[in-house]
Short mmCIF file of all heavy atoms in Angstrom, two decimals:
data_model
loop_
_atom_site.label_atom_id
_atom_site.label_comp_id
_atom_site.label_asym_id
_atom_site.label_seq_id
_atom_site.Cartn_x
_atom_site.Cartn_y
_atom_site.Cartn_z
N CYS I 1 -11.11 -62.42 15.58
CA CYS I 1 -11.20 -62.84 14.18
C CYS I 1 -10.07 -63.82 13.93
O CYS I 1 -8.89 -63.42 13.94
CB CYS I 1 -11.10 -61.63 13.26
SG CYS I 1 -11.06 -62.03 11.49
N ALA I 2 -10.41 -65.08 13.75
CA ALA I 2 -9.42 -66.12 13.47
C ALA I 2 -9.23 -66.23 11.97
O ALA I 2 -10.19 -66.39 11.23
CB ALA I 2 -9.87 -67.44 14.06
N VAL I 3 -7.98 -66.16 11.55
CA VAL I 3 -7.65 -66.18 10.13
C VAL I 3 -6.97 -67.50 9.79
O VAL I 3 -6.00 -67.89 10.46
CB VAL I 3 -6.72 -65.00 9.77
CG1 VAL I 3 -6.40 -65.01 8.27
CG2 VAL I 3 -7.37 -63.68 10.16
N SER I 4 -7.43 -68.16 8.76
CA SER I 4 -6.82 -69.42 8.32
C SER I 4 -6.80 -69.47 6.80
O SER I 4 -7.47 -68.69 6.12
CB SER I 4 -7.59 -70.61 8.88
OG SER I 4 -8.92 -70.62 8.40
N GLY I 5 -5.99 -70.39 6.28
CA GLY I 5 -5.92 -70.55 4.83
C GLY I 5 -5.02 -69.55 4.14
O GLY I 5 -5.05 -69.46 2.90
N GLY I 6 -4.25 -68.80 4.90
CA GLY I 6 -3.36 -67.81 4.31
C GLY I 6 -2.42 -67.24 5.34
O GLY I 6 -2.52 -67.53 6.53
N ILE I 7 -1.50 -66.44 4.88
CA ILE I 7 -0.51 -65.82 5.76
C ILE I 7 -1.04 -64.46 6.20
O ILE I 7 -1.27 -63.57 5.37
CB ILE I 7 0.84 -65.66 5.03
CG1 ILE I 7 1.34 -67.05 4.58
CG2 ILE I 7 1.85 -64.98 5.92
CD1 ILE I 7 2.56 -66.98 3.68
N LEU I 8 -1.22 -64.29 7.49
CA LEU I 8 -1.83 -63.07 8.01
C LEU I 8 -1.07 -61.83 7.59
O LEU I 8 -1.67 -60.78 7.33
CB LEU I 8 -1.93 -63.15 9.53
CG LEU I 8 -2.62 -61.99 10.24
CD1 LEU I 8 -4.05 -61.81 9.74
CD2 LEU I 8 -2.61 -62.19 11.75
N ASP I 9 0.26 -61.93 7.48
CA ASP I 9 1.09 -60.78 7.12
C ASP I 9 0.77 -60.20 5.74
O ASP I 9 1.18 -59.10 5.42
CB ASP I 9 2.57 -61.15 7.16
CG ASP I 9 3.11 -61.21 8.56
OD1 ASP I 9 2.35 -60.89 9.50
OD2 ASP I 9 4.28 -61.58 8.73
N LEU I 10 0.06 -60.97 4.93
CA LEU I 10 -0.24 -60.52 3.57
C LEU I 10 -1.52 -59.70 3.47
O LEU I 10 -1.88 -59.26 2.38
CB LEU I 10 -0.35 -61.74 2.64
CG LEU I 10 0.91 -62.58 2.51
CD1 LEU I 10 0.65 -63.75 1.55
CD2 LEU I 10 2.10 -61.75 2.04
N TYR I 11 -2.18 -59.49 4.63
CA TYR I 11 -3.50 -58.87 4.58
C TYR I 11 -3.61 -57.72 5.58
O TYR I 11 -3.14 -57.81 6.72
CB TYR I 11 -4.58 -59.90 4.92
CG TYR I 11 -4.61 -61.06 3.97
CD1 TYR I 11 -3.82 -62.17 4.21
CD2 TYR I 11 -5.43 -61.05 2.86
CE1 TYR I 11 -3.84 -63.25 3.34
CE2 TYR I 11 -5.46 -62.12 1.99
CZ TYR I 11 -4.66 -63.22 2.24
OH TYR I 11 -4.67 -64.28 1.37
N ALA I 12 -4.28 -56.68 5.14
CA ALA I 12 -4.84 -55.73 6.09
C ALA I 12 -6.18 -56.30 6.54
O ALA I 12 -6.88 -56.96 5.77
CB ALA I 12 -5.03 -54.37 5.44
N ILE I 13 -6.52 -56.05 7.80
CA ILE I 13 -7.74 -56.60 8.37
C ILE I 13 -8.61 -55.46 8.90
O ILE I 13 -8.09 -54.50 9.49
CB ILE I 13 -7.45 -57.58 9.51
CG1 ILE I 13 -6.52 -58.70 9.05
CG2 ILE I 13 -8.76 -58.15 10.08
CD1 ILE I 13 -7.11 -59.65 8.05
N GLY I 14 -9.88 -55.59 8.70
CA GLY I 14 -10.79 -54.57 9.20
C GLY I 14 -11.97 -55.18 9.91
O GLY I 14 -12.35 -56.32 9.67
N TRP I 15 -12.53 -54.40 10.81
CA TRP I 15 -13.79 -54.74 11.47
C TRP I 15 -14.88 -53.81 10.94
O TRP I 15 -14.68 -52.59 10.87
CB TRP I 15 -13.67 -54.59 12.99
CG TRP I 15 -12.93 -55.71 13.64
CD1 TRP I 15 -11.61 -55.74 13.98
CD2 TRP I 15 -13.47 -56.97 14.05
NE1 TRP I 15 -11.30 -56.94 14.57
CE2 TRP I 15 -12.42 -57.71 14.62
CE3 TRP I 15 -14.74 -57.55 14.00
CZ2 TRP I 15 -12.61 -58.99 15.14
CZ3 TRP I 15 -14.92 -58.82 14.50
CH2 TRP I 15 -13.87 -59.53 15.06
N PHE I 16 -15.99 -54.40 10.62
CA PHE I 16 -17.13 -53.66 10.09
C PHE I 16 -18.36 -54.05 10.90
O PHE I 16 -18.38 -55.09 11.56
CB PHE I 16 -17.34 -54.01 8.62
CG PHE I 16 -16.17 -53.68 7.75
CD1 PHE I 16 -15.06 -54.52 7.71
CD2 PHE I 16 -16.17 -52.54 6.97
CE1 PHE I 16 -13.97 -54.21 6.91
CE2 PHE I 16 -15.08 -52.23 6.17
CZ PHE I 16 -13.98 -53.07 6.14
N ARG I 17 -19.37 -53.21 10.82
CA ARG I 17 -20.61 -53.58 11.49
C ARG I 17 -21.79 -53.12 10.65
O ARG I 17 -21.68 -52.16 9.87
CB ARG I 17 -20.70 -52.97 12.89
CG ARG I 17 -20.78 -51.45 12.95
CD ARG I 17 -20.72 -50.97 14.40
NE ARG I 17 -20.82 -49.52 14.49
CZ ARG I 17 -20.67 -48.84 15.63
NH1 ARG I 17 -20.41 -49.49 16.78
NH2 ARG I 17 -20.78 -47.52 15.64
N GLN I 18 -22.88 -53.81 10.85
CA GLN I 18 -24.10 -53.43 10.16
C GLN I 18 -25.29 -53.69 11.07
O GLN I 18 -25.49 -54.81 11.54
CB GLN I 18 -24.27 -54.18 8.84
CG GLN I 18 -25.42 -53.67 8.01
CD GLN I 18 -25.33 -54.09 6.56
OE1 GLN I 18 -24.69 -55.07 6.22
NE2 GLN I 18 -25.99 -53.32 5.68
N ALA I 19 -26.03 -52.65 11.31
CA ALA I 19 -27.26 -52.74 12.09
C ALA I 19 -28.44 -52.82 11.13
O ALA I 19 -28.35 -52.36 9.99
CB ALA I 19 -27.39 -51.53 13.00
N PRO I 20 -29.56 -53.38 11.57
CA PRO I 20 -30.74 -53.48 10.70
C PRO I 20 -31.16 -52.12 10.16
O PRO I 20 -31.27 -51.15 10.90
CB PRO I 20 -31.80 -54.06 11.63
CG PRO I 20 -31.05 -54.81 12.66
CD PRO I 20 -29.79 -54.02 12.87
N GLY I 21 -31.33 -52.06 8.84
CA GLY I 21 -31.77 -50.83 8.22
C GLY I 21 -30.70 -49.78 8.04
O GLY I 21 -30.98 -48.66 7.58
N LYS I 22 -29.46 -50.11 8.38
CA LYS I 22 -28.37 -49.14 8.26
C LYS I 22 -27.30 -49.66 7.31
O LYS I 22 -27.19 -50.86 7.07
CB LYS I 22 -27.76 -48.85 9.63
CG LYS I 22 -28.70 -48.14 10.59
CD LYS I 22 -27.96 -47.71 11.85
CE LYS I 22 -28.88 -46.92 12.78
NZ LYS I 22 -28.17 -46.48 14.00
N GLU I 23 -26.50 -48.74 6.81
CA GLU I 23 -25.40 -49.11 5.93
C GLU I 23 -24.27 -49.75 6.72
O GLU I 23 -24.11 -49.51 7.92
CB GLU I 23 -24.88 -47.87 5.20
CG GLU I 23 -25.86 -47.30 4.19
CD GLU I 23 -25.22 -46.16 3.40
OE1 GLU I 23 -24.09 -45.77 3.70
OE2 GLU I 23 -25.88 -45.68 2.46
N ARG I 24 -23.51 -50.55 6.03
CA ARG I 24 -22.30 -51.12 6.62
C ARG I 24 -21.34 -49.99 6.99
O ARG I 24 -21.15 -49.05 6.23
CB ARG I 24 -21.64 -52.06 5.62
CG ARG I 24 -20.29 -52.59 6.04
CD ARG I 24 -19.77 -53.57 5.00
NE ARG I 24 -19.61 -52.95 3.70
CZ ARG I 24 -18.48 -52.41 3.26
NH1 ARG I 24 -17.43 -52.37 4.03
NH2 ARG I 24 -18.42 -51.88 2.05
N GLU I 25 -20.73 -50.13 8.14
CA GLU I 25 -19.79 -49.11 8.63
C GLU I 25 -18.44 -49.75 8.90
O GLU I 25 -18.36 -50.78 9.58
CB GLU I 25 -20.33 -48.48 9.91
CG GLU I 25 -19.40 -47.44 10.55
CD GLU I 25 -19.92 -46.92 11.88
OE1 GLU I 25 -20.77 -47.59 12.51
OE2 GLU I 25 -19.45 -45.85 12.31
N GLY I 26 -17.41 -49.14 8.38
CA GLY I 26 -16.05 -49.56 8.71
C GLY I 26 -15.71 -49.06 10.10
O GLY I 26 -15.59 -47.85 10.29
#
C-alpha cells in the first residue's frame, strides 16, 4: 500500500478484504 499526499506517521493503516456476496472484513 503506497501512501502519498500526507505524512504516514499521522495515520493508522488497515488492510480489509471483501469477497463477492460477503461483508467487508478488517
